Amino acid sequence: AGAGLAAGLASATDPNTYIYFGTGDGTWDANTLGNDYADSFLKLSANLQVAGYFTRYNEPTYKTANIDFGSGGMMLVPDSTFANYPYISINAGKDGNIYVIDRGTPGGYNGVIDTNIETVPGKFAYFGTPAYWNGYIYDSIVGGSLRSWSVSDACSPGPVCTTNVKSSNIKFVNGTTPAASSNGTLAGTGIVWAIASPNQVNGGVPAILYAIDAVKMTELYDTTQCGTQDRPGLGVKFTVPSAVNGKVYVGTQGELDVFGELSVARTCP
């Protein structure tokens, strides 16, 4: 779903950097010491050797059911953010579940229960990659709203807290991969950026960029509010906004659109 590979440390005692990603449907025989890791979290060393993995306990049933583990991308929570879970990754798949995995010891497979840190159950598919900001993660199911979960050592089950989940009132037909920005941790400056785009790569309608309050999950802005003044190019499925240095970049079918503060005031229609 447009995600790249993730890379980072796995523990405080291991100086090596590893590559992390999730796979989709295919051959799976890791439980019998084979070399095929469909529908799994994979941790690779720099020379691309498997250094650890996690596979859902019911993979023998899932592997022919089009319920890809890797339908979305892998997000690494910043190292040592949480004392109890200092090196974790979070992703969500077509089964509707959110998976929290220890990057040092992913859990492997045992055929009875999931061996990762936490599985947050759901019903509808995810095609995006979560974003993290200041104790929250953000993600959206296909056809659903952007949602936020708090992440904390104090939650039980945890670290993803399953109570007080908040949702925006905006629906995303393909889900969305959000990006978060803020002025450090200054209260009131957290923004989650998300793109709504059609289910196609040619023709169609313009993308819509949304800015959503990172705490309240209320809309702050979108690119339809000023007529055609802010309208991006035609949307592309699974595009990801990039927020850096006070600007937000959106790739479309025929152009790169750049959004930021204007130097002069304007009046919208």
Side-chain angles (χ1 to χ4, degrees):
L5 303 173
L9 298 177
S11 75
T13 58
D14 185 345
N16 298 303
T17 296
Y18 296 90
I19 300 167
Y20 310 93
F21 59 95
T23 59
D25 292 338
T27 303
W28 175 78
D29 56 18
N31 62 322
T32 57
L33 303 181
N35 294 318
D36 300 302
Y37 294 88
D39 283 332
S40 299
F41 167 93
L42 276 177
K43 170 188 176 182
L44 301 186
S45 61
N47 62 356
L48 304 184
Q49 299 301 303
V50 176
Y53 78 99
F54 161 73
T55 304
R56 298 171 291 192
Y57 79 95
N58 46 2
E59 177 57 22
T61 300
Y62 274 0
K63 68 178 182 179
T64 58
N66 189 26
I67 308 179
D68 306 46
F69 176 83
S71 61
M74 199 67 57
M75 186 269 295
L76 309 187
V77 173
D79 297 351
S80 301
T81 297
F82 304 105
N84 293 342
Y85 312 100
Y87 296 90
I88 58 176
S89 70
I90 299 177
N91 73 295
K94 279 188 182 179
D95 59 3
N97 297 336
I98 297 172
Y99 294 92
V100 183
I101 299 170
D102 186 323
R103 284 140 52 187
T105 53
Y109 169 83
N110 74 7
V112 179
I113 60 172
D114 283 342
T115 50
N116 57 317
I117 294 174
E118 180 189 13
T119 299
V120 180
K123 296 180 179 179
F124 303 102
Y126 289 90
F127 283 169
T129 302
Y132 174 83
W133 175 79
N134 201 31
Y136 296 93
I137 62 167
Y138 307 88
D139 209 345
S140 168
I141 61 171
V142 174
S145 301
L146 184 69
R147 307 178 77 190
S148 74
W149 296 258
S150 58
V151 187
S152 171
D153 280 331
C155 288
S156 182
V160 175
C161 307
T162 54
T163 59
N164 299 319
V165 178
K166 296 180 181 178
S167 299
S168 72
N169 61 357
I170 304 156
K171 305 290 186 182
F172 296 89
V173 64
N174 297 306
T176 188
T177 292
S181 68
S182 69
N183 182 5
T185 58
L186 182 64
T189 65
I191 297 174
V192 182
W193 303 92
I195 298 171
S197 56
N199 189 21
Q200 58 192 82
V201 295
N202 293 300
V205 297
I208 302 174
L209 174 66
Y210 289 94
I212 298 168
D213 187 290
V215 176
K216 299 176 182 177
M217 295 303 289
T218 53
E219 182 181 337
L220 302 172
Y221 163 82
D222 71 66
T223 52
T224 70
Q225 292 177 352
C226 285
T228 61
Q229 293 183 44
D230 295 348
R231 187 168 65 190
L234 299 183
V236 181
K237 187 178 181 182
F238 299 146
T239 48
V240 181
S242 296
V244 60
N245 292 335
K247 294 183 173 60
V248 181
Y249 299 84
V250 176
T252 65
Q253 291 181 35
E255 62 195 47
L256 174 66
D257 296 288
V258 184
F259 299 87
E261 291 187 2
L262 297 176
S263 58
V264 294
R266 67 174 179 185
T267 300
C268 294

